[in-house]
Amino acid sequence: MGMDNLSGQASKDSRDRMISWLRSNEAKDILIDLQRLLISHQALGPENGGDGEYEKAEALKAWLRDQGIEDIQSINAVDSRVSRKIRPNFFIKVTSNPAQPILWVMSHLDVVPPGDGWASDPFSLKIEGNKLIGRGSEDNHQGLCASILVLLALKKFKPLRESGYGILCVADEEVSNQYGILHVLEHENPFGPQDAALVPDGGSPDGGDIELAEKAVLWLKFRVQGVQTHASRPDLGKNSTTSSSALILKLRELYDQFPQTNELFTPVYSTFEATRREENIPNINTVPGEDIFYMDCRILPEVELNQVLFRVDELVTKVEQDYECRIFVEIVDRVEASSTDGAHPLLKFLQREVEEVCKVKPRLIGIGGSTVAAYLRQHGIPAVVWAKLTEQAHQPNEYSLVENTFADAEVILRTLLSYSLK
Ligand SMILES: [Zn+2]
């Protein structure tokens, strides 16, 4: 009894010391130093005209080693398009007990191109009061810096091996994830069966939004074939634009066929929208023989994707009969819905700490898809997306607020202490 009380008191003291250190001037200096380093390295994927994340990752690893963080494990992906041929992914995991559940924080190293409208050099940190300005400062350096501040606080005040904490840095989030989290999950997946992940790459200004579910994404291409003819003799052909328009309207019936609702999402129902339409013929006086359009569907987790495809087929057949045309359907993209159980301990602790630190009633939400968290969930890893953000991602003059980074770090630390010691 006496011993328990003593160690309980000691851990409460170290917890309080860690929390107050996370808001100290020393922590702020470290944050600014780290943001300056991260912003100065342009980590653009080759699709965005860049040379990848290699130099940035190396600079960050060297910085971490200077802070006494030695045990950094790489899971590099090979990419012949960049000069170093490597897209870097790496992790730091601290625990001594293999059975201990690990709370991971996953951030990405890459950024999007700066675009126009910057008042300062996007790749050089500018400080304006509590705003740290530069490309990547909020997306995703804020989450990355918060996770590193927590690591440093643990190292300073607590035996690291007791922590059950992991930091994962990935490449290629802004483009395909193929050289980033997908590579990690398919090669040297560091996640254990009890682990969970926080992805600080989405959120709201008051910190209240906690995203735990995503709708499925289904992109379909419809190629409608009729018979081309002169517009003055429609009787000799089959107007594919008319058939294709009839199909677009017919597909609206999907809304009635899948009326399920789920209050996590906005809107609460699945959506089935015709979107892009390709140009058919350049002139006005020809009845087009072929018409192509696309549909974007966002489907609730409780709806079977195959059931949707089956219904689409039925509607297509009906229009083929009514309009005497041929219709070819192609799946352009398909990402399954994913959700983390609202009763998972991570969510329980995270909600409590968000309420405590951000003074806001947490809101569990689902989104229309799809973030990197979906890939984690598809691999059986409970994952939530949360951060306190001004929503600067991809904008010119992107900035991150020092107090938001501190709030993220404090929530991560407090959630971690509950999670790994639960
Ligand atoms: Zn991001």
Side-chain angles (χ1 to χ4, degrees):
M1 248 340 240
M3 286 296 283
D4 282 344
N5 282 342
L6 259 182
S7 66
Q9 188 56 46
S11 74
K12 190 184 177 309
D13 285 350
S14 70
R15 173 194 154 103
D16 291 347
R17 284 206 301 274
M18 283 190 284
I19 289 172
S20 55
W21 183 80
L22 281 179
R23 293 185 181 274
S24 66
N25 284 331
E26 190 188 339
K28 183 174 172 179
D29 290 344
I30 291 174
L31 168 62
I32 289 171
D33 188 43
L34 188 50
Q35 278 276 19
R36 179 172 286 120
L37 178 85
L38 294 170
I39 289 170
S40 71
H41 288 87
Q42 299 196 20
L44 293 164
E47 296 86 347
N48 285 324
D51 199 27
E53 307 84 352
Y54 186 84
E55 303 299 339
K56 186 174 182 176
E58 287 303 302
L60 175 55
K61 287 178 190 172
W63 187 93
L64 287 165
R65 283 189 209 103
D66 282 348
Q67 303 286 326
I69 310 293
E70 296 287 348
D71 199 5
I72 304 171
Q73 304 195 51
S74 297
I75 313 175
N76 292 328
V78 174
D79 186 348
S80 59
R81 298 169 302 172
V82 293
S83 53
R84 296 286 192 149
K85 312 294 178 207
I86 283 173
R87 305 295 295 277
N89 302 286
F90 63 89
F91 69 90
I92 299 156
K93 177 171 147 179
V94 284
T95 185
S96 61
N97 173 3
Q100 187 179 33
I102 305 286
L103 176 65
W104 291 89
V105 180
M106 182 174 101
S107 309
H108 61 86
L109 292 164
D110 57 326
V111 298
V112 292
D116 297 329
W118 284 79
S120 61
D121 177 0
F123 293 106
S124 172
L125 171 69
K126 182 179 162 195
I127 304 175
E128 236 171 51
N130 260 0
K131 283 183 185 173
L132 306 180
I133 305 166
R135 177 49 91 220
S137 57
E138 191 175 71
D139 178 20
N140 192 211
H141 300 165
Q142 181 177 314
L144 178 58
C145 291
S147 72
I148 290 171
L149 285 176
V150 169
L151 182 69
L152 297 179
L154 291 168
K155 189 171 182 307
K156 212 171 164 65
F157 297 104
K158 195 173 187 298
L160 263 182
R161 58 195 156 70
E162 284 178 21
S163 306
Y165 183 49
I167 290 178
L168 174 61
C169 289
V170 295
D172 194 26
E173 191 274 342
E174 298 290 2
V175 181
S176 76
N177 291 301
Q178 201 190 328
Y179 300 92
I181 187 58
L182 289 173
H183 176 84
V184 169
L185 290 169
E186 282 152 27
H187 289 82
E188 292 163 64
N189 182 351
F191 294 94
Q194 301 260 67
D195 296 0
L198 173 71
V199 181
D201 196 20
S204 53
D206 67 1
D209 286 358
I210 299 175
E211 186 250 290
L212 76 164
E214 290 172 27
K215 290 179 182 173
V217 179
L218 182 64
W219 286 355
L220 298 175
K221 177 182 184 180
F222 296 88
R223 193 158 61 84
V224 180
Q225 240 173 31
V227 179
Q228 183 175 316
T229 176
H230 195 282
S232 67
R233 292 299 307 276
D235 52 305
L236 298 178
K238 291 286 171 204
N239 191 330
S240 64
T241 295
T242 307
S243 319
S244 155
S245 305
L247 178 59
I248 288 172
L249 289 176
K250 193 79 182 159
L251 288 166
R252 305 297 291 172
E253 291 179 17
L254 291 168
Y255 277 100
D256 300 323
Q257 292 176 349
F258 298 98
Q260 295 90 332
T261 59
N262 182 330
E263 297 297 329
L264 282 178
F265 296 94
T266 310
V268 296
Y269 46 83
S270 304
T271 57
F272 309 92
E273 290 296 313
T275 53
R276 176 178 174 203
R277 199 161 196 177
E278 288 185 15
E279 188 180 19
N280 42 35
I281 37 166
N283 56 314
I284 297 173
N285 57 349
T286 298
V287 164
E290 184 171 88
D291 199 78
I292 294 170
F293 73 93
Y294 298 78
M295 193 165 65
D296 175 306
C297 311
R298 307 288 165 136
I299 300 159
L300 291 176
E302 39 274 272
V303 174
E304 271 279 349
L305 275 193
N306 285 335
Q307 200 57 36
V308 173
L309 289 168
F310 180 76
R311 293 292 176 188
V312 166
D313 241 27
E314 282 185 345
L315 297 170
V316 159
T317 304
K318 185 88 177 68
V319 172
E320 278 182 329
Q321 287 163 356
D322 291 353
Y323 289 83
E324 296 172 48
C325 60
R326 295 273 288 146
I327 301 169
F328 303 91
V329 186
E330 186 189 319
I331 298 174
V332 178
D333 198 12
R334 172 185 183 148
V335 182
E336 302 292 326
S338 72
S339 61
T340 293
D341 181 0
H344 190 276
L346 169 59
L347 275 161
K348 186 178 93 185
F349 298 129
L350 182 62
Q351 285 183 84
R352 186 181 73 198
E353 305 305 348
V354 163
E355 182 155 15
E356 185 69 28
V357 175
C358 300
K359 313 288 179 219
V360 63
K361 194 93 194 123
R363 303 171 294 268
L364 297 183
I365 59 163
I367 61 167
S370 55
T371 71
V372 284
Y375 299 114
L376 295 175
R377 295 184 194 120
Q378 281 157 17
H379 278 76
I381 303 148
V384 298
V385 179
W386 176 85
K388 187 170 184 199
L389 294 177
T390 54
E391 298 173 306
Q392 289 287 312
H394 303 201
Q395 296 195 32
N397 306 306
E398 175 182 354
Y399 66 85
S400 165
L401 294 175
V402 171
E403 58 264 37
N404 283 0
T405 312
F406 283 173
D408 287 2
E410 188 176 341
V411 167
I412 292 169
L413 176 66
R414 295 164 73 121
T415 306
L416 167 70
L417 294 176
S418 305
Y419 187 76
S420 63
L421 301 173
K422 75 178 188 295

